[in-house]
Amino acid sequence: MRTVVLREPGQFEMRERDRPEPADDEVLVAVRDVGICGSDVHYYEHGRIGDYVVEDPLVLGHESAGDVVAVGENVETLVPGARVTLEPGVPCRQCRHCKRGEYHLCTDVEFMATPPHDGAFAEYVAWPADFVYELPEAVSLREGALCEPLSVGIHACRRGDVGVGDTVLVTGAGPIGMLAMEAARAAGATDVLVSDVVGSKLDRALDRGADRVIDVTETDLDSAVDEYTDGVGADVVVEASGAEPSIESTLDAVRRGGTVVLVGLADEAEVPLDVLEIIDNELDVHGSFRYANTYDAAVDLLADGTVDVEGIVDFTDPLEEIDAAFRRSMEPDTVKGMISID
Ligand SMILES: NC(=O)C1=CN([C@@H]2O[C@H](COP(=O)(O)OP(=O)(O)OC[C@H]3O[C@@H](n4cnc5c(N)ncnc54)[C@H](O)[C@@H]3O)[C@@H](O)[C@H]2O)C=CC1
Ligand SMILES: CC(=O)[C@H](N)C(=O)O
C-alpha cells in the first residue's frame, strides 16, 4: 500500500508498505480523507514538538475517515462497507484515568502521528473497532475526518461549561478556534466574538456566524469586549491561538466569575498570568487537552446540520501532492487543508 513518511524536517517520501492485517478487535480502513493539522505541519517543519521527536520515518495525519474493508474476528459493531471516522488516540483502558472516563489523560495513550506512532497518510490503517465511529449517510467522509478538530472544540466548550445564552470569546480563528465557535453555538451560546491577527480569517469567522470579530492588530481586545458586553466581559473565553499576548489578555476579557479555557499551546511553557486577578475576580481557569467521549456528539451534530465543518476547508490535494499541500498549509491565510486518497 502507498504511504507517505516524514523522513526528516521538510522531507516527505512516498513508500510502499505491507497492507496491515486487522487484529481480532480491529477493523481495516481504506483511508479516504485526512485533514492537515497544525501539529502535522509543526513536525514537518521542525521534526519535533517538545519532547516528541521524529527519530524514525513517521506517517503523519490524525484527522481521518474512510471505508471499512475488513474486520477482525471479534468485531461485531462494524461490517465491511461501513463509512467511518477514526478517533486517533487509543488509551490503555486499564488505568485510573481510563476507568474514570477521562481516557484522554491516560499516560499510555497511543496517538496517531505522535512519535513513535504512525498516522493516517496511508492507503490503509488497522484500528481498534471501539475507536472507530460509523458515519450516517448525511455525513461526508471529509466531515467525518474533521470530527477530530471539532472534538477539540466540543471538549473545550464542555470544559468551559458553555451554556444557553452565554457570550463566548474565542481567541484565534484557526481551525480549532473556528470549530470551538461552532461547538459554542451548539452548546447554546447566543453571542460569539472571535479575535485574530489575520483579517481574512476574521472575515471567514464573520461569514461563519461570529457576532463580532476583533483584529487585535488594530483594536484593543479588552475594550472591544467591554463595548460589546456593556463592560461586563465574556462569560467564557476559549483561548485557541497559543499566542502569549492573547493568553495574557484572557483574564481581562472574561467577566468576574467567568471561565477561561486554555486550548492553544504557547511556544513557551511559562506565560505570566495575574494570580490576584484570578482570585479577586473568582475566575475558573481550565486547561483543555484533546478530548474524550466527543466523537458520538460530533457525528450527531454533523448529521443534524447543527455545525458546519466543511466551510473551514481551503483546499483538498491528492496524497501524491502532500508536499505542496503542507507548504500551502503554512501560508497565514490558510485555515484547513486536506488530503484525499484514491
Ligand atoms: N489543547 C489541545 O488539545 C490542542 C491544542 N491545539 C493548539 O491550539 C492552537 C490552535 O490550533 P490551530 O487552530 O490548529 O492553530 P492555528 O495556528 O491554525 O490558529 C491559531 C490562530 O491564532 C491566530 N493568532 C495569532 N496571534 C494571535 C493573537 N495575539 N490573538 C488572537 N489570535 C492570534 C493566528 O493568526 C491563527 O489564525 C494551537 O496552539 C495548537 O497547537 C491544537 C489542537 C489540540
Ligand atoms: C496538539 C495537536 O495539535 C494535536 N492535535 C494533538 O492532539 O497532539
Side-chain angles (χ1 to χ4, degrees), residues 14-300:
M14 203 69 138
R15 284 210 181 153
E16 280 295 322
R17 282 189 180 172
D18 291 340
R19 181 170 138 161
E21 284 296 321
D24 290 350
D25 296 318
E26 290 183 338
V27 298
L28 182 67
V29 176
V31 181
R32 302 289 182 213
D33 287 284
V34 189
I36 301 172
C37 172
S39 61
D40 294 320
V41 176
H42 202 281
Y43 280 122
Y44 173 76
E45 274 190 279
H46 306 286
R48 67 183 303 153
I49 296 181
D51 292 338
Y52 292 101
V53 182
V54 181
E55 280 165 354
D56 296 310
L58 182 75
V59 180
L60 294 174
H62 60 264
E63 303 173 353
S64 66
D67 300 309
V68 173
V69 292
V71 303
E73 68 178 49
N74 295 340
V75 176
E76 292 177 353
T77 50
L78 292 161
V79 292
R83 298 159 61 256
V84 294
T85 176
L86 281 61
E87 183 171 353
V90 177
C92 76
R93 303 180 182 82
Q94 306 295 327
C95 70
R96 196 179 166 92
H97 297 296
C98 286
K99 288 189 169 166
R100 284 169 58 91
E102 51 194 34
Y103 61 86
H104 59 309
L105 301 181
C106 171
T107 51
D108 289 326
V109 71
E110 296 185 359
F111 201 91
M112 276 188 191
T114 301
H117 306 292
D118 280 332
F121 289 130
E123 254 180 301
Y124 296 95
V125 168
W127 206 245
D130 53 340
F131 283 80
V132 176
Y133 302 80
E134 186 158 7
L135 298 172
E137 219 26 66
V139 179
S140 70
L141 288 176
R142 269 151 63 92
E143 291 176 304
L146 296 177
C147 283
E148 203 278 343
L150 177 58
S151 284
V152 176
I154 292 171
H155 186 67
C157 289
R158 285 181 179 167
R159 292 285 288 154
D161 202 15
V162 173
V164 175
D166 278 354
T167 296
V168 176
L169 167 67
V170 177
T171 54
I176 299 300
M178 293 283 193
L179 298 184
M181 173 171 92
E182 295 286 329
R185 282 265 191 237
T190 44
D191 295 83
V192 182
L193 290 68
V194 179
S195 69
D196 205 287
V197 292
V198 179
S200 62
K201 287 181 169 171
L202 291 171
D203 291 343
R204 185 96 72 97
L206 212 48
D207 286 347
R208 295 174 55 76
D211 296 285
R212 168 87 159 91
V213 293
I214 304 148
D215 183 338
V216 294
T217 63
E218 293 170 356
T219 308
D220 176 57
L221 181 72
D222 191 17
S223 313
V225 174
D226 265 356
E227 189 193 334
Y228 191 90
T229 60
D230 295 330
V232 175
D235 298 300
V236 181
V237 179
V238 177
E239 204 305 301
S241 78
E244 193 173 318
S246 179
I247 295 171
E248 286 182 51
S249 69
T250 57
L251 299 190
D252 299 320
V254 72
R255 69 162 164 80
R256 298 195 80 196
T259 303
V260 174
V261 182
L262 300 175
V263 183
L265 303 172
D267 285 340
E268 299 297 327
E270 294 185 16
V271 176
L273 286 183
D274 186 336
V275 174
L276 290 181
E277 213 172 338
I278 295 172
I279 296 168
D280 189 51
N281 292 313
E282 209 171 69
L283 304 181
D284 291 327
V285 180
H286 298 299
S288 186
F289 180 61
R290 295 177 178 158
Y291 41 78
N293 307 305
T294 50
Y295 264 67
D296 285 325
V299 172
D300 283 348

